[in-house]
Amino acid sequence: MKVAHLFLLYFYSTAFVLVNTIDPITTTVVVGVSATLGRTIWNYLHENCNPKWIAFNATGLEADLESKLFGQHIASRIILKAVNGFMSNDNPKKPLVLSLHGWTGTGKNFVSNLIAENIYKEGMDSSFVHVFTAELHFPHSSQLDTYKAQLQQWIKGNVTNCARSMFIFDEMDKMHPGLIDSIKPYLDYYEKLDGISYRKAIFIFLSNAGGEDIVRTALDFWNEGRAREEIELKDLETLISLSVFNNKNSGLRHASLIDKHLVDFFVPFLPLEYRHVVQCAMAEMKARGLQPDQNVADQVARDLVYFPKSERVFSVKGCKTIQSKLDYYT
Ligand SMILES: *[C@@H]1O[C@H](CO)[C@@H](O)[C@H](O)[C@H]1NC(C)=O
């Protein structure tokens, strides 16, 4: 709105000058200068596909992952390495494809936001960041063919506008396998498809698939008295791809995304413990400009439900309900 108002003002003042100019040469000069100036101002104020609006902040991403994401030593390391590597490569051979897996509320959405915020000035509000949700965008399986055509057109149109586009697919496990199949060409190593290169785009898939297996591994470590930080990617990696394949309800099951190694990184998110929920609550208070209060954070964390029933180690909803709980306690 603000940008539009400024432009209106600019337009009127230019028109005013023109109306009051009779000399044709002066008019031509005013029109020319005005057009150039107008374009410059517009580009300055209005988001476009230039480095002013799209510039990767590696230190920003690292600092954010360090200070805002809790209990995810594996995910945070992979994400940083993957995004750093991709963004510093001027000539990537394929788009970056990340598949984020884990229990609800463990930070998958949050991490996608952090990535977007450290690439696009406008963050998640950027017109180059696109979020698709199975239930919202593709709810009726009877319309599959329409959805396929639409999604392909969206990806194509947006990447044509800006090579550095980002596509986030939420609830990937609820997407129809056919729909996933339809985007495969864009994830691949092609130099160009119909004259368009997709190699600078970023695709992020979010799903709960594999979440239960990740929980089981984390619980095994806990039961053996081993530190959570000892869990390594290799303890989880095969689990993720196996469960993604074996889950009957998983949209990834029939799609050969994994076969073809189109996914560059599988990123596991561990279930969150009490202490992480406390950290989330403290961070949220700080983000709201409040003095972080340990007592309040403990109160919030105690309010949540933990599983499994006997051990009560992991928060059922992760850090998901922290915000509304905080509204209640502060
Ligand atoms: C870009 O994607 C959005 C959906 O996020 C869609 O509505 C829009 O039409 C696409 N733009 C083009 C040029 O295809």
Side-chain angles (χ1 to χ4, degrees), residues 256-270:
S256 46
L257 278 179
I258 296 147
D259 285 351
K260 291 194 65 192
H261 302 287
L262 296 180
V263 174
D264 301 296
F265 296 91
F266 285 98
V267 189
F269 282 71
L270 300 171

Side-chain angles (χ1 to χ4, degrees), residues 37 47 68-69 71-72 79 83 107 132 135 139 153 156 171 175 190 194 217 224 231 238 262 272 291 330:
L37 196 65
E47 188 189 31
K68 296 179 183 167
L69 181 71
Q72 303 298 356
I79 294 283
V83 179
F132 301 112
E135 280 171 354
Q153 187 46 52
K156 187 177 171 183
E171 302 176 336
M175 294 234 316
Y190 299 111
D194 288 335
T217 305
E224 291 164 18
I231 305 175
T238 46
L262 296 180
L272 298 180
Q291 181 69 30
T330 52

Side-chain angles (χ1 to χ4, degrees), residues 127 129-132 137 150-161 167:
S127 51
V129 176
H130 308 273
V131 182
F132 301 112
H137 294 91
Q150 207 172 44
L151 182 57
Q152 290 183 325
Q153 187 46 52
W154 285 347
I155 293 175
K156 187 177 171 183
N158 282 294
V159 173
T160 306
N161 281 344
F167 302 93

Side-chain angles (χ1 to χ4, degrees), residues 223-276:
N223 278 324
E224 291 164 18
R226 300 171 68 186
R228 170 195 186 87
E229 288 70 26
E230 278 178 46
I231 305 175
E232 291 178 42
L233 178 61
K234 65 173 164 52
D235 298 317
L236 302 161
E237 206 162 32
T238 46
L239 275 181
I240 299 173
S241 35
L242 279 181
S243 65
V244 166
F245 272 126
N246 292 337
N247 185 349
K248 255 206 292 285
N249 303 318
S250 163
L252 290 170
R253 183 169 117 110
H254 303 283
S256 46
L257 278 179
I258 296 147
D259 285 351
K260 291 194 65 192
H261 302 287
L262 296 180
V263 174
D264 301 296
F265 296 91
F266 285 98
V267 189
F269 282 71
L270 300 171
L272 298 180
E273 300 172 15
Y274 179 91
R275 59 190 164 121
H276 305 120

Side-chain angles (χ1 to χ4, degrees), residues 1-232:
M1 267 336 249
K2 245 204 292 196
V3 176
H5 288 158
L6 277 169
F7 249 82
L8 221 51
L9 189 70
Y10 177 73
F11 176 76
Y12 281 131
S13 48
T14 307
F16 179 78
V17 172
L18 285 179
V19 166
N20 289 288
T21 315
I22 314 118
D23 171 16
I25 296 172
T26 314
T27 308
T28 315
V29 171
V30 169
V31 168
V33 169
S34 167
T36 315
L37 196 65
R39 205 173 318 116
T40 312
I41 297 175
W42 175 259
N43 284 345
Y44 188 77
L45 295 174
H46 188 261
E47 188 189 31
N48 56 55
C49 188
N50 288 325
K52 181 184 180 293
W53 297 94
I54 306 176
F56 178 51
N57 179 356
T59 47
L61 181 60
E62 184 167 12
D64 280 351
L65 289 170
E66 179 98 350
S67 67
K68 296 179 183 167
L69 181 71
F70 305 111
Q72 303 298 356
H73 65 285
I74 302 174
S76 116
R77 204 166 41 210
I78 304 175
I79 294 283
L80 189 63
K81 201 175 127 214
V83 179
N84 266 347
F86 182 72
M87 293 302 291
S88 55
N89 183 355
D90 276 337
N91 191 17
K93 292 289 173 279
K94 75 187 279 307
L96 177 64
V97 183
L98 303 174
S99 195
L100 279 44
H101 298 259
W103 201 257
T104 24
T106 49
K108 303 184 296 287
N109 264 300
F110 184 64
V111 159
S112 331
N113 295 0
L114 293 184
I115 297 173
E117 281 163 16
N118 285 288
I119 295 179
Y120 304 91
K121 270 251 159 61
E122 300 284 284
M124 291 301 288
D125 294 329
S126 167
S127 51
F128 306 120
V129 176
H130 308 273
V131 182
F132 301 112
T133 309
E135 280 171 354
L136 199 68
H137 294 91
F138 320 109
H140 310 294
S141 53
S142 60
Q143 309 231 43
L144 183 62
D145 288 334
T146 315
Y147 293 154
K148 278 189 195 172
Q150 207 172 44
L151 182 57
Q152 290 183 325
Q153 187 46 52
W154 285 347
I155 293 175
K156 187 177 171 183
N158 282 294
V159 173
T160 306
N161 281 344
C162 186
R164 197 61 96 188
S165 288
M166 182 161 147
F167 302 93
I168 301 170
F169 290 81
D170 198 3
E171 302 176 336
M172 186 70 166
D173 33 358
K174 292 190 184 137
M175 294 234 316
H176 193 286
L179 196 56
I180 297 178
D181 268 333
S182 74
I183 62 170
K184 268 164 52 181
Y186 307 115
L187 313 179
D188 216 329
Y189 288 85
Y190 299 111
E191 198 172 323
K192 282 184 175 171
L193 286 172
D194 288 335
I196 297 153
S197 169
Y198 295 85
R199 289 175 163 186
K200 291 210 161 170
I202 298 173
F203 292 83
I204 302 180
F205 302 142
L206 313 179
S207 80
N208 294 335
E212 283 170 31
D213 299 286
I214 298 172
V215 166
R216 204 166 310 127
T217 305
L219 193 60
D220 286 346
F221 272 73
W222 189 85
N223 278 324
E224 291 164 18
R226 300 171 68 186
R228 170 195 186 87
E229 288 70 26
E230 278 178 46
I231 305 175
E232 291 178 42

